[in-house]
Amino acid sequence: MNPSLRVLIVDDHPLFREGLCSLLKRLAPQACLTQTSSIDDALTHAPDRFDLVLMDLHLPGTEGLDGLLRMKAHYESAAVVIISGDESPVTIRSAIQQGASGYIPKRTDVNVTIQALQLVLAHGVYLPPEAMLVRPADTPPPPSSPIEPLSERQRAVLRGLLQGKPNKVIAADLGLAEGTIKAHLWAVYQVLGVQNRAQAMYRAHELNLFGALGPERTTL
C-alpha cells in the first residue's frame, strides 16, 4: 500500500469520521488523513490534494447525488467512495453510474470495508451485495464471449469505465476526443447488451471482466 496515500473523509458525524481514521490507519499506517463535515468545506482544498475521498451521501445542504457530483467534478483524479446508511439498490446503482468508485454501506464489516478500499485503490470498483439484489429489468442476458468482439481501444475505454473514471478523464488518458470515447462506449454497451454505465458495471461483475481485460497498456 502506498504510504503517502492522501485521504479526505467527508461526514457530519465526528465519531464516524474518527472510526474511519482508525480503519484507514490499519489499511495504510502512514496515510495523510483530512476530515471535514460538509461538501462546501471539502471543496476548499486543491483539486489534486487527495488520492481517495470517502464521503457520506446524505450531507447537510445536499440532495440526492448532488454532493457526489460536485466532489467528482472537483477531484477528477481521486477515487470517490460513498459510505452511507442508504442501502437502496437504486441509490447504489445511481451513485456508480455517476462515477463513484465504490459504495460501502455503513454497517459493513471492518475487514470487508478494508478489502473494498483495497479494491478501489487497485483501480477497481466495489459494489456491495445489496447492489446485486435487484437487477435492472431491461438488462438482457450476457453474451457468451463479451471481450472477444471488442477492439483494443474499446477494451481500454471499458477498463477506464470500470475504474470509475469520467469520460473526459478517459479521453485525456488515451489522448482521444471525448466524443470518440462516447462512441467507443456505445460500441461497448452494444457488445455487453447494456444501456448505460451502471448496467455495464453490473455486467462486468457478473462476467468477471476485471480479470479478463488484463493490465493496462501504455500504447494502443
Side-chain angles (χ1 to χ4, degrees), residues 128-144:
E130 292 84 351
M132 310 306 291
L133 294 177
V134 179
R135 182 176 172 175
D138 56 352
T139 303
S144 56

Side-chain angles (χ1 to χ4, degrees), residues 31-191:
C32 178
L33 308 179
T34 301
Q35 300 183 36
T36 185
S37 61
S38 71
I39 294 295
D40 288 341
D41 287 345
L43 296 176
T44 61
H45 298 285
D48 60 350
R49 171 79 180 273
F50 303 105
D51 307 301
L52 175 66
V53 176
L54 306 179
M55 61 174 291
D56 194 0
L57 188 61
H58 303 298
L59 291 163
T62 65
E63 292 186 11
L65 300 178
D66 175 62
L68 170 62
L69 294 173
R70 291 173 65 190
M71 294 294 281
K72 285 292 297 179
H74 187 71
Y75 296 112
E76 292 185 357
S77 62
V80 179
V81 176
I82 299 296
I83 300 184
S84 174
D86 186 343
E87 300 181 18
S88 163
V90 174
T91 300
I92 297 172
R93 286 201 301 270
S94 297
I96 296 299
Q97 185 172 358
Q98 293 300 326
S101 295
Y103 196 109
I104 305 174
K106 284 190 172 181
R107 65 181 181 88
T108 303
D109 176 81
V110 169
N111 290 329
V112 174
T113 300
I114 289 176
Q115 292 172 3
L117 294 177
Q118 288 174 330
L119 173 62
V120 170
L121 292 172
H123 304 295
V125 174
Y126 176 75
L127 292 172
E130 292 84 351
M132 310 306 291
L133 294 177
V134 179
R135 182 176 172 175
D138 56 352
T139 303
S144 56
S145 301
I147 295 299
E148 186 175 352
L150 297 178
S151 69
E152 198 62 49
R153 183 74 73 183
Q154 289 166 349
R155 295 186 192 197
V157 171
L158 175 58
R159 189 180 294 111
L161 181 152
L162 297 181
Q163 291 172 355
K165 297 178 179 179
N167 288 353
K168 61 182 177 181
V169 174
I170 299 175
D173 289 346
L174 300 180
L176 299 173
E178 190 171 348
T180 302
I181 298 301
K182 291 179 180 179
H184 283 311
L185 280 176
W186 182 85
V188 169
Y189 294 163
Q190 300 305 301
V191 170

Side-chain angles (χ1 to χ4, degrees), residues 4-20:
S4 61
L5 179 67
R6 303 165 302 169
V7 185
L8 174 63
I9 300 171
V10 190
D11 195 287
D12 59 331
H13 292 91
L15 286 177
F16 186 76
R17 294 200 306 268
E18 289 299 328
L20 278 180

